[in-house]
Amino acid sequence: LLLFKLGVHIKNQTIFLPIGISFFTFQAISFSLDYKANKISSNVKFLDFANYLSFFPQLISGPIEKFGNLSPQIRNFNKFSWTNIQQGLYLILIGLSKKLIISDRLGFFVDSVYENLDESNGYSIIFATVFFYFQIFLDFSAYCNIAVGLSKIMGVELSSNFNRPYLSSSISSYWRRWHITLHLWFKEYIYTHLKKRYNWI
């Protein structure tokens, strides 16, 4: 993951970044650690692992799922139901609205300001910075809404990835409510182990 993210060049050739590499890397690591900790059955089939790692709705933008939550749902798809289809389409519509109607419009203004800083005044730069802050959130949460919606239609329940982070009352609360599955991943697979190893309070 670091190799690709750092944009390493080999013999003057750029290594192209695979789509969704961060998310399937995190999921592969969580699978390996859970398997080592005997949280996953030792007779897992390769097809189950492959389906878990490449489940297309959340492959590009998450949320990051654990094998124990996602794989059984993929293996035993629930029957299509009108309720799931309606809820899924609603989430997809919400995501598309966030992305196409709001985020992209904000992006036009942000790009026009940052690409012409010499011609922009202080007020436009301040507005562009604030709009960019919302653009990032709307982009990311929109993709997650679409992923959850597509999965819902197929009868698969994905984890929630955002919980109104901009309404947080503190920085720690903000990070617990922004990209929730990544926060939980770091907490379970890194922080908890460091805490045990070094007797952190």
Side-chain angles (χ1 to χ4, degrees), residues 31 35 40-54 67 71-72 74-76:
F31 174 89
Y35 185 86
I40 297 175
S41 173
S42 59
N43 59 353
V44 173
K45 296 180 180 178
F46 176 76
L47 184 60
D48 291 334
F49 172 74
N51 285 334
Y52 158 70
L53 211 59
S54 60
F67 182 84
S71 181
I74 298 176
R75 192 186 312 115
N76 305 304

Side-chain angles (χ1 to χ4, degrees), residues 106-124:
L106 294 176
F108 291 144
F109 178 78
V110 171
D111 292 342
S112 67
V113 172
Y114 284 135
E115 290 174 0
N116 302 282
L117 285 175
D118 293 338
E119 302 174 7
S120 303
N121 58 41
Y123 290 110
S124 61

Side-chain angles (χ1 to χ4, degrees), residues 1-144:
L1 178 60
L2 292 175
L3 177 72
F4 283 113
K5 288 295 187 180
L6 292 174
V8 175
H9 298 267
I10 298 178
K11 294 181 180 180
N12 297 321
Q13 301 260 333
T14 301
I15 301 177
F16 289 102
L17 190 68
I19 294 176
I21 183 173
S22 298
F23 294 95
F24 64 71
T25 299
F26 283 127
Q27 292 198 170
I29 292 172
S30 73
F31 174 89
S32 300
L33 295 177
D34 285 348
Y35 185 86
K36 184 178 180 181
N38 296 318
K39 295 179 181 179
I40 297 175
S41 173
S42 59
N43 59 353
V44 173
K45 296 180 180 178
F46 176 76
L47 184 60
D48 291 334
F49 172 74
N51 285 334
Y52 158 70
L53 211 59
S54 60
F55 185 59
F56 80 92
Q58 47 88 238
L59 180 63
I60 298 177
S61 296
I64 301 168
E65 294 290 347
K66 298 183 69 172
F67 182 84
N69 176 50
L70 184 57
S71 181
Q73 296 188 75
I74 298 176
R75 192 186 312 115
N76 305 304
F77 274 122
N78 295 322
K79 294 182 179 179
F80 283 101
S81 73
W82 284 113
T83 300
N84 284 344
I85 292 174
Q86 290 171 349
Q87 292 176 352
L89 289 175
Y90 174 75
L91 288 170
I92 292 172
L93 181 61
I94 292 294
L96 291 173
S97 299
K98 284 182 180 178
K99 171 63 179 170
L100 301 176
I101 298 176
I102 306 176
S103 178
D104 285 356
R105 304 280 89 66
L106 294 176
F108 291 144
F109 178 78
V110 171
D111 292 342
S112 67
V113 172
Y114 284 135
E115 290 174 0
N116 302 282
L117 285 175
D118 293 338
E119 302 174 7
S120 303
N121 58 41
Y123 290 110
S124 61
I125 294 174
I126 291 173
F127 278 116
T129 302
V130 173
F131 287 165
F132 180 64
Y133 189 57
F134 282 96
Q135 181 191 358
I136 292 174
F137 166 70
L138 291 167
D139 252 355
F140 198 0
S141 63
Y143 287 125
C144 287

